[in-house]
Amino acid sequence: DKLALETVSKIRQRHNVQIPVVDLIGKKHMCLQPGIVASGGREFTEYCKAMREDDLCEFYNRLKTGEKHSPMTKDVLVQLGNTAPNTPEQVKMVCQQEEYELCPYEITMLMAKDARVIITDYSYLFNEKIREGLTPPETGFTGIVSAHARNYSGTSTIFHRGAIKLGTNDVSAEPRDSIALDEGHNNP
């Protein structure tokens, strides 16, 4: 993940372009609730869902005022946008500040809606509900970089809507709704 963030930073600097990027890790690892890291995956999922549904998670509850983002949420999104790309640890540090105390995972998901590149674990790619939430066609999404996709034989480390032709950066030839998984030895 660190290498992908550094690469995007270098591209931004070299070409003087803004590339909205998000580094997304599991919700449990971003959670600010005390002692939560020790819980199991399914146990955490049920706990988190119950806390949100029962309005008991103060970090989640502060995200909105009525149907709109709270002023704190807007402030954090602007602050993180100005310092992007951010590691999950940096997002957590900003969100846990006393003046904000917001859910880092939900903030990251809000940033992902405007991201052109999403760096994440492969599990997000294979969960259709999460993937579609991250990559709706109207967002102008470009790609998801998965550091773990190399563990799957015959797959590249980039999931994207348009396949890149070998030797170029041209993505115009492929339909925007395709998923390209190319052979590891032929990655562009």
Side-chain angles (χ1 to χ4, degrees):
D1 297 354
K2 185 177 178 181
L3 178 62
L5 282 174
E6 289 173 4
T7 301
V8 172
S9 290
K10 287 178 183 178
I11 291 169
R12 290 170 70 160
Q13 291 170 357
R14 184 174 193 181
H15 298 284
N16 196 25
V17 294
Q18 287 298 327
I19 303 170
V21 60
V22 167
D23 188 356
L24 179 63
I25 63 172
K27 185 186 284 193
K28 180 175 102 169
H29 301 290
M30 296 189 85
C31 186
L32 297 176
Q33 293 291 343
I36 205 64
V37 176
S39 69
R42 179 169 284 152
E43 180 185 12
F44 171 77
T45 301
E46 291 171 10
Y47 169 80
C48 179
K49 182 179 179 183
M51 291 287 285
R52 287 181 285 122
E53 287 176 353
D54 295 339
D55 292 325
L56 297 175
C57 180
E58 65 274 13
F59 306 108
Y60 183 81
N61 293 342
R62 287 188 186 99
L63 291 166
K64 291 187 174 183
T65 303
E67 294 296 313
K68 297 184 178 189
H69 296 315
S70 70
M72 293 177 293
T73 298
K74 292 175 185 177
D75 288 350
V76 166
L77 291 172
V78 168
Q79 182 178 346
L80 291 170
N82 290 335
T83 60
N86 298 287
T87 65
E89 292 77 21
Q90 290 167 318
V91 173
K92 256 181 107 165
M93 283 177 43
V94 171
C95 288
Q96 69 187 7
Q97 291 176 16
E98 194 173 328
E99 67 267 28
Y100 299 127
E101 294 183 332
L102 297 168
C103 175
Y105 180 82
E106 294 296 334
I107 288 292
T108 302
M109 292 301 285
L110 289 172
M111 292 187 309
K113 293 177 190 274
D114 295 323
R116 300 280 297 170
V117 176
I118 300 169
I119 303 164
T120 189
D121 183 274
Y122 65 87
S123 63
Y124 285 91
L125 306 181
F126 300 119
N127 182 314
E128 185 176 352
K129 185 177 179 182
I130 294 172
R131 183 181 65 241
E132 293 304 317
L134 289 173
T135 63
E138 67 275 5
T139 63
F141 163 77
T142 300
I144 294 178
V145 178
S146 175
H148 301 284
R150 67 181 174 274
N151 297 331
Y152 289 89
S153 177
T155 62
S156 72
T157 58
I158 300 178
F159 160 90
H160 44 84
R161 282 211 162 90
I164 298 174
K165 295 179 186 175
L166 186 61
T168 76
N169 289 326
D170 180 16
V171 295
S172 61
E174 296 296 325
R176 287 208 28 94
D177 62 351
S178 69
I179 298 174
L181 296 173
D182 51 14
E183 294 300 319
H185 65 282
N186 285 330
N187 285 337

